[in-house]
Each structure stands twice: as C-alpha cells, then as structure tokens.
Amino acid sequence: MSSTPPNTTRARFEGKAVVVTGAAQGIGAEVARRISAEGGRVIIGDRSPLAKDVVAEIEERGGQAHFFECDLEQFDGAATLAEYAVSTLGHVDILINNVGGTIWTKPYEQYGVDEIEQEVRRSLFPTLWGCRAFLPHMVERGQGVIVNVSSIATRSINRVPYAASKGGVNALTASLAFEAAAKGVRVVATAPGGTEAPPRKIPRNDGVLTDQDHAWYQQIVDQTVDSTYVKRYGTLAEQAAPILFLASNDASYITGTVLPVGGGDQG
C-alpha cells in the first residue's frame, strides 16, 4: 500500500482539525483518506462501526484519525459529535457534512408517507443538525469552513423526496453562508452527480428488490448518464477533489456556492 493516495500533497490541511460525517464508505471515506494524506487530523462521525475500517486504513498510512459513533439524523447525535471533536482535537477547523443518500427509488406516487419522512430525515436533517451543532464553536473562534455534500439530483426522476432534501441543503448553504460570512465562517457545497463506487457495505434499505424496483433504478442510471455532457459516471476521486478544494484555503474567497460536479449536469 502506498503511503498516500495519488494526486495529493502534504500542504493544504497540515495541522487542520477536520470532521467528516458519513465516511464509512463512498465519497465520505475517500474525503477522509485524502484529507489525512494532506496532513489533516480527522474525526469520522457515522452510525456504522464500519467507519473503523477507514480509521484503521488512515492510521496504517501514518495519519491521525478517530471514529465517533452517532446518529446524525438526531440533533443529539450531532451535538455529541461536536463535543467529542472539540475535546479530542482542541477545536474544529472544517466540517464536511456528507450524510445522505436516497433510500428508495420509485415514482413519487409510489412513496408512502413514512418513506417520505425517512428520506428527508436521512438527506436533509444530518446537514441541518451538523451545521447547528458546529456553528457556535466556529463563530466563537471567528473562523471555520463548512462543506455540505448535496446532489445534482435536485432535478432527476424516481427520487423526489431525496431531491427535495438536497434542494434544502442547497438553500441552507446559501442562506447560512450569508449569515456566517461576517463571523469568519465559510459555508459551501458540492453537488455530486452519478459516482462509480465499490458495492455498498451498508444497504440503503432492508427490503428485497423486485424486478420493478430494479427497472426504476435503471431509469435513474440512464437519466443520469444522459444528462451529463461526458456521458459517464464520475469517480470517487473526482468527487473528493472539489470537496477538498472548497474546504481548503485555496477557496478562501468562495462562500455560498453550490458547485455541481456532474460532468456538465447542473442539477
């Protein structure tokens, strides 16, 4: 195993205290690895103990990382994560809110009321709670960066509740950035498009998928590829790089921006 992932430096996050949520797999795990490779001290907040594997990988490469198990769909989970991060690292420079992901994929009229509520709780509330829990600490210090991970799926098919949740993340990013800029805190977001990733370690839901479920999901794949200019899914590295840029001092004059990372699809 190489000492660092490819295309990284040691400069941008040297000594920075960074919290990454939802980093047991996928984009979040890639972000945590790369921030560590560039010198950051990382805390992963996730409700899955599988995040310990990412911490172990970071430590094997010589980085510093910690795992804190918490349910970020509840404010208490975000609040205890913030307390743990400050007590462990001394302060928090950067928060990356990455928890989210559509649970079901089907036409809107097929969703149950409870399913709609679960989708919003999964893909909007963790970012709302994360911002609320960490913001007072950053305001008190007069500095900090919050990077929210949204989605270009604000315009897509077969996942309307998820789209509405990510639209909320976009609005939160713009409005909070307006409030927080004078207090020294930047708030930005990326909006990933379709992303190639290893098979999920944690299923989005526990249900058995029918042929119809597979067909509805394939419609999402087809629409996603058709909507991009480059006609392909992105890679984890291609999604992590813009997140790291926005989190770094290279983006010090950028706030309130939601950056689409969807091969040309603007969402």
Side-chain angles (χ1 to χ4, degrees):
M1 180 180 294
S2 62
S3 59
T4 62
N7 302 319
T8 57
T9 71
R10 290 292 300 179
R12 288 188 296 181
F13 301 102
E14 197 70 46
K16 296 289 187 181
V18 184
V19 174
V20 185
T21 70
Q25 59 188 343
I27 293 172
E30 183 73 5
V31 167
R33 294 185 195 103
R34 287 172 174 266
I35 284 179
S36 173
E38 296 196 29
R41 299 177 294 148
V42 177
I43 287 179
I44 293 176
D46 202 298
R47 66 185 177 190
S48 171
L50 291 174
K52 293 178 181 178
D53 295 341
V54 181
V55 169
E57 182 182 342
I58 289 171
E59 292 177 336
E60 185 178 348
R61 286 180 164 138
Q64 180 181 341
H66 305 270
F67 167 61
F68 186 78
E69 187 171 348
C70 52
D71 180 0
L72 295 168
E73 293 181 13
Q74 312 298 324
F75 178 70
D76 285 350
T80 54
L81 173 62
E83 292 169 2
Y84 173 81
V86 172
S87 64
T88 301
L89 301 180
H91 63 272
V92 175
D93 297 297
I94 300 162
L95 168 65
I96 298 173
N97 285 312
N98 179 64
V99 174
T102 189
I103 305 171
W104 294 278
T105 54
K106 52 189 173 181
Y108 189 46
E109 68 272 15
Q110 300 292 330
Y111 277 85
V113 172
D114 60 329
E115 291 175 336
I116 294 169
E117 291 181 350
Q118 287 181 63
E119 293 277 8
V120 174
R121 189 156 293 281
R122 169 74 57 84
S123 292
L124 175 58
F125 274 88
T127 301
L128 278 170
W129 295 147
C131 290
R132 178 60 184 84
F134 282 84
L135 188 63
H137 170 72
M138 292 181 174
V139 169
E140 182 178 2
R141 294 185 71 226
Q143 60 185 38
V145 182
I146 298 173
V147 183
N148 298 324
V149 179
S150 181
S151 174
I152 62 166
T154 48
R155 295 192 183 193
S156 65
I157 61 170
N158 294 351
R159 44 185 172 170
V160 167
Y162 174 71
S165 300
K166 290 303 188 178
V169 170
N170 293 350
L172 166 64
T173 299
S175 296
L176 184 56
F178 210 172
E179 282 189 17
K183 303 168 187 176
V185 179
R186 291 194 300 113
V187 185
V188 288
T190 67
T195 305
E196 294 284 359
R200 291 185 61 85
K201 301 175 183 177
I202 309 160
R204 295 201 185 279
N205 66 69
D206 297 327
V208 177
L209 297 180
T210 66
D211 289 344
Q212 180 63 79
D213 292 326
H214 287 294
W216 282 331
Y217 185 81
Q218 186 60 46
Q219 289 174 355
I220 289 178
V221 174
D222 295 343
Q223 179 255 302
T224 299
V225 173
D226 185 62
S227 296
T228 69
Y229 295 179
V230 299
K231 304 306 177 189
R232 67 171 175 85
Y233 269 34
T235 66
L236 290 176
E238 288 172 325
Q239 295 299 343
I243 293 171
L244 266 64
F245 165 68
L246 288 175
S248 75
N249 289 338
D250 291 340
S252 58
Y253 196 54
I254 300 174
T255 195
T257 295
V258 178
L259 175 64
V261 188
D265 187 346
Q266 300 301 299

